[in-house]
Amino acid sequence: MAAQVVRPRGPEPAMVPISYYLLLAAALFCMGMFGVLVRRNALVVFMCVELMLNAANLTFLAFARMHGDSIGHVSAFFVIAVAAAEAAIGLAIVIAVFRSRGSILVEDIRTMKH
C-alpha cells in the first residue's frame, strides 16, 4: 500500500505574471544594446552582447512557461550554445588583437591597419 502525500489546504502561491518577465527582459536587452552602442572597450561590448542574449533567453523561457511546452527551453539551450561559442571566439580575437596592438579599444580594431 502506497503512502499518500497530504498537502496543506490554503491559498495557492501567486504566480508571477509574464509581463514582469518581459519587462525585465526588455530592460536587460536595452541595457545591453546601450552598452554595445556606447562603450569603447571590446570586452565590455562582448559582455553587453551576452546580456542581450540572456534577455532573449528570458523571453523564450517566459513564453515556454506561459504555453506549458518545451520549445522555449530548446531555443534557450541553443542560444546558450551560440553565446558560449561567441564568447570563446570573441575572447580569442580580443587576445590576438591585444597581443598585436596592445589595446582592445573598438576604434583601434576598426582600422585594422598597422
Side-chain angles (χ1 to χ4, degrees):
M1 180 180 224
Q4 289 183 335
V5 176
V6 178
R7 295 186 179 156
R9 299 208 179 223
E12 292 185 16
M15 296 199 44
V16 179
I18 192 170
S19 61
Y20 290 1
Y21 291 112
L22 297 179
L23 286 173
L24 177 62
L28 289 173
F29 191 86
C30 288
M31 288 189 325
M33 185 174 57
F34 179 75
V36 167
L37 295 175
V38 172
R39 301 302 294 184
R40 295 174 29 185
N41 190 335
L43 290 177
V44 175
V45 171
F46 279 124
M47 286 192 298
C48 291
V49 170
E50 292 291 329
L51 192 64
M52 292 167 61
L53 290 173
N54 285 327
N57 279 341
L58 184 59
T59 58
F60 283 138
L61 296 175
F63 283 120
R65 180 178 178 201
M66 183 178 78
H67 293 296
D69 60 2
S70 63
I71 295 173
H73 297 279
V74 173
S75 300
F77 179 73
F78 282 121
V79 171
I80 290 170
V82 168
E86 175 260 334
I89 294 170
L91 189 58
I93 291 171
V94 167
I95 290 172
V97 168
F98 180 76
R99 285 184 180 171
S100 67
R101 296 183 179 266
S103 173
I104 54 171
L105 296 179
V106 176
E107 293 91 28
D108 296 340
I109 298 171
R110 283 187 187 157
T111 59
M112 295 302 280
K113 295 179 184 175
H114 292 284

